[in-house]
Amino acid sequence: MTSPLDNYVIQPKRPRRFIFWITFAVIVTGLLQWYWFNHDSGEKSRLLDQNKLMTEQIASLKTQLMQQTEASQNMQQVQAMHQATVQQLQNRLEQLQKKVIELDKELLFYQNITQGNSTSELQIRDLQIRPDPENTAQLRYRLAITQGKNLSEPITGEVIIKLQETEGEGDKAKVTDLNVTEHPLNLRHVQVIEGVFNMSELKTPQQISVSLRQKDKTLVSRTFDWQTDPPIDQ
């Protein structure tokens, strides 16, 4: 028969096994902490390195962008200055070309005066009328007077210019002076007289009468039909 006391057996204590398991647990716990610590530190270091690298790249890109922007602005300024210089040169060239054309016309005018007729008589040689490019209400005129004699003293007096309108025909024709302008006459060989007609205050004339007068004597006179020449470019 089994005695009830057989279930209660006293076994001796084993402290070494207990110490082993405690030591094992401490070692495992330490290894786990070391692993997680080193793993976390490595990831943090990697992220810090990436952040530093990206920060440096951003700074470099900002510097390049600023340099490109400055270079672009400088290029735009250079292009603007170049365009302005080209425009100034083009404007100057056009002005000089117009001036050459004007001088050519002036030269032709004086050649016609000096070479057209070698007579020694006192003459009202030419009258030109052109629109004023700066004022559409005005007309500019230029009158040329010549004489071929070898005079010791110039011919002096007055030059009378009349804008005239004729009404009626034949014996009933009536000439009305619309405007009378006087200039001093001081002629030795060639005298050119220039002036302006203010047409805003006048009707359109039909003729222009030019007379050279000395004291109370008319030396010579000439009548021109009213016509205007093309304007001289300025």
Side-chain angles (χ1 to χ4, degrees):
M1 295 180 62
T2 300
S3 174
L5 297 177
D6 292 339
N7 294 328
Y8 301 95
V9 178
I10 301 173
Q11 296 180 353
K13 295 182 179 181
R14 297 178 180 178
R16 292 182 179 178
R17 182 180 295 180
F18 177 74
I19 292 172
F20 170 77
W21 286 111
I22 292 175
T23 303
F24 179 76
V26 170
I27 292 174
V28 171
T29 303
L31 289 174
L32 290 173
Q33 290 179 349
W34 177 85
Y35 172 78
W36 287 110
F37 175 78
N38 284 277
H39 177 75
D40 184 65
S41 298
E43 184 69 17
K44 182 178 179 180
S45 177
R46 185 180 66 81
L47 293 175
L48 288 174
D49 291 342
Q50 288 184 351
N51 181 269
K52 181 180 179 181
L53 179 61
M54 293 181 67
T55 302
E56 292 175 351
Q57 290 178 347
I58 290 173
S60 176
L61 289 174
K62 286 184 177 179
T63 301
Q64 293 179 15
L65 178 60
M66 292 177 61
Q67 292 175 349
Q68 291 295 329
T69 302
E70 183 178 356
S72 176
Q73 291 176 349
N74 292 336
M75 182 62 68
Q76 290 176 355
Q77 292 177 354
V78 171
Q79 290 178 346
M81 293 176 60
H82 175 71
Q83 291 176 352
T85 301
V86 170
Q87 187 62 44
Q88 290 178 354
L89 292 175
Q90 288 178 343
N91 293 340
R92 181 57 179 166
L93 177 60
E94 291 177 359
Q95 292 176 356
L96 291 176
Q97 288 175 337
K98 292 180 179 180
K99 189 64 177 178
V100 169
I101 294 174
E102 182 180 351
L103 291 175
D104 288 341
K105 291 181 179 180
E106 294 283 341
L107 178 61
L108 181 60
F109 173 78
Y110 284 101
Q111 285 177 342
N112 290 336
I113 292 174
T114 56
Q115 299 176 7
N117 192 341
S118 60
T119 180
S120 62
E121 297 179 357
L122 177 63
Q123 287 186 317
I124 302 171
R125 291 290 300 273
D126 188 65
L127 176 64
Q128 294 181 352
I129 301 175
R130 289 189 175 93
D132 189 337
E134 298 179 358
N135 189 341
T136 57
Q138 292 182 342
L139 293 175
R140 293 184 175 274
Y141 63 86
R142 181 166 57 184
L143 176 68
I145 304 168
T146 64
Q147 70 86 25
K149 294 180 181 180
N150 187 13
L151 301 177
S152 58
E153 296 291 335
I155 301 174
T156 60
E158 295 84 28
V159 180
I160 312 299
I161 301 175
K162 297 180 181 181
L163 302 185
Q164 297 178 330
E165 181 183 49
T166 301
E167 297 180 355
E169 297 180 357
D171 296 338
K172 296 182 179 180
K174 181 181 179 181
V175 178
T176 303
D177 293 336
L178 302 177
N179 179 271
V180 178
T181 303
E182 295 187 9
H183 294 274
L185 174 64
N186 190 359
L187 171 67
R188 185 182 294 274
H189 298 290
V190 178
Q191 182 176 352
V192 177
I193 297 173
E194 295 182 327
V196 174
F197 295 132
N198 190 350
M199 301 307 297
S200 63
E201 302 175 358
L202 300 172
K203 299 179 182 179
T204 302
Q206 295 172 337
Q207 293 179 324
I208 303 176
S209 173
V210 180
S211 301
L212 307 184
R213 186 173 61 187
Q214 191 176 52
K215 296 182 180 180
D216 295 332
K217 179 183 179 182
T218 299
L219 301 178
V220 64
S221 63
R222 183 176 176 182
T223 300
F224 299 87
D225 291 333
W226 177 262
Q227 60 181 3
T228 59
D229 297 323
I232 297 177
D233 295 330
Q234 298 296 320

